[in-house]
Structure formats: C-alpha cells, structure tokens
Amino acid sequence: MSVGAPYGGGKEQGPAVYANELAQRGFVVLTFDQAHMGDSAGEPRRVSSPGLFAELFSAAVDYLGIQVPFVDREKIGIIGICGSGGFSLAAAAVDTRIKAVATASMYDITDVRGMMDLSKDQLDQMKDELVQQRWEDYAKTGEPPTARRHIQAIAETTQHLPDQHPGAEHLR
C-alpha cells in the first residue's frame, strides 16, 4: 500500500497516520513526499506538477514490487489524501499494477477554471496568452521554457484566486 500526502503536505502528516493504522492491520505501507516538496529531492522547490505527482504513485508501486520481497505484486493499492486523491486516480487509470485505490477528502487540484470562476472564453484566452508567452520566451532565449522561468508567472496568476475559495491560501 502507498499513501500520498495532501497537496503541499508532507509524509509525516496525514499519510503517517494512515500508514500507522494500516501497518497495525498487517499492511506494508510506503509514504512519500511529492517531488520537489518536503524531504524529497529536486529543484526548483515547491513546484506543482499533477502529472509528475501521479507518476510518483507508480514509482511507489515500482519500489514496493521490486525492493520489498514479501509484498504480493498482485495486491498493491494506493490511497490519495486531499489533492493526491486526484493524483492517485490518475495513476490508477493508467497503471494496471494498482489493484485498489481509495481517496480521502479528495480535492481536484486541476480545476483551475472552477477556482477562478472563469468562463470558457476567459479560460481559452488565458491558455492562449500562456502559450504565446512560451513562444516568445523560446524565441528570446533560444531554449525551451523551464518550470523555473514560469514560477513567478504562476505566482502572479494565483493572486487572482478568490480568498473565500477553500484551499486558495495553499496556492499563494
């Protein structure tokens, strides 16, 4: 079993509580910090990548299935807490080795349109502006844009999130 942390949280928080309870019930449990967050390695720090976060569940399955000889590869499941609930579902949708998935207080972190209360036209305009900026950045520097160059742009974008939206404070 692997347990993913809430978005922006660490393995020592909610996942440790779940892991402790599951271990007492006989499960082998692996918790982890999302890449670029907590005690994990990687630069730049505190970068959000839903695709990468989903991939980390598959990496946990890799580890459990190869490095822990007493784990039955046909019985590996995952739990996603809060934001990692969505990441766990994304992982389970493509990784057939994941035999069970559960979410706790799942939150779909990818729902930018809902958080910002944008119409389809406004969202399309925002996407067009972002991709145009990528073309301009590449033309100016001669190399593809990287996450590091876009962190400030992302931070500026989140200033438009309404304060009353649940979880908005975690995105600032």
Side-chain angles (χ1 to χ4, degrees), residues 89-159:
L89 292 174
V94 296
D95 191 334
T96 59
R97 302 172 304 163
I98 298 170
K99 302 304 182 189
V101 62
T103 65
S105 301
M106 190 185 101
Y107 181 77
D108 182 4
I109 199 73
T110 62
D111 186 23
V112 173
R113 182 176 169 189
M115 287 189 295
M116 297 177 73
D117 195 28
L118 299 175
S119 69
K120 181 182 181 325
D121 289 341
Q122 289 171 314
L123 183 61
D124 289 344
Q125 179 183 350
M126 184 172 143
K127 289 178 185 179
D128 289 342
E129 290 170 2
L130 289 171
V131 297
Q132 183 60 38
Q133 186 63 53
R134 289 182 67 96
W135 288 123
E136 292 171 16
D137 290 350
Y138 197 135
K140 185 165 49 171
T141 65
E143 52 186 65
T146 64
R148 183 178 296 280
R149 288 192 200 118
H150 293 284
I151 290 172
Q152 184 59 39
I154 292 167
E156 290 169 6
T157 301
T158 62
Q159 296 307 311

Side-chain angles (χ1 to χ4, degrees), residues 5-164:
Y7 181 77
K11 64 186 176 300
E12 298 84 7
Q13 297 166 332
V17 174
Y18 281 77
N20 184 45
E21 181 65 31
L22 289 164
Q24 289 180 40
R25 294 173 185 235
F27 289 87
V28 174
V29 186
L30 172 68
T31 64
F32 57 90
D33 283 326
Q34 295 163 338
H36 307 288
M37 296 187 179
D39 289 333
S40 69
E43 292 290 333
R45 302 302 296 160
R46 293 172 291 285
V47 169
S48 179
S49 171
L52 177 59
F53 294 166
E55 172 62 25
L56 294 174
F57 279 104
S58 290
V61 172
D62 293 341
Y63 182 86
L64 289 168
I66 297 293
Q67 297 296 324
V68 187
F70 49 87
V71 166
D72 184 341
R73 290 183 179 182
E74 297 303 314
K75 295 181 179 178
I76 297 176
I78 59 177
I79 297 174
I81 303 170
C82 192
S84 69
F87 309 143
S88 67
L89 292 174
V94 296
D95 191 334
T96 59
R97 302 172 304 163
I98 298 170
K99 302 304 182 189
V101 62
T103 65
S105 301
M106 190 185 101
Y107 181 77
D108 182 4
I109 199 73
T110 62
D111 186 23
V112 173
R113 182 176 169 189
M115 287 189 295
M116 297 177 73
D117 195 28
L118 299 175
S119 69
K120 181 182 181 325
D121 289 341
Q122 289 171 314
L123 183 61
D124 289 344
Q125 179 183 350
M126 184 172 143
K127 289 178 185 179
D128 289 342
E129 290 170 2
L130 289 171
V131 297
Q132 183 60 38
Q133 186 63 53
R134 289 182 67 96
W135 288 123
E136 292 171 16
D137 290 350
Y138 197 135
K140 185 165 49 171
T141 65
E143 52 186 65
T146 64
R148 183 178 296 280
R149 288 192 200 118
H150 293 284
I151 290 172
Q152 184 59 39
I154 292 167
E156 290 169 6
T157 301
T158 62
Q159 296 307 311
H160 302 292
L161 292 175
D163 289 332
Q164 71 275 11

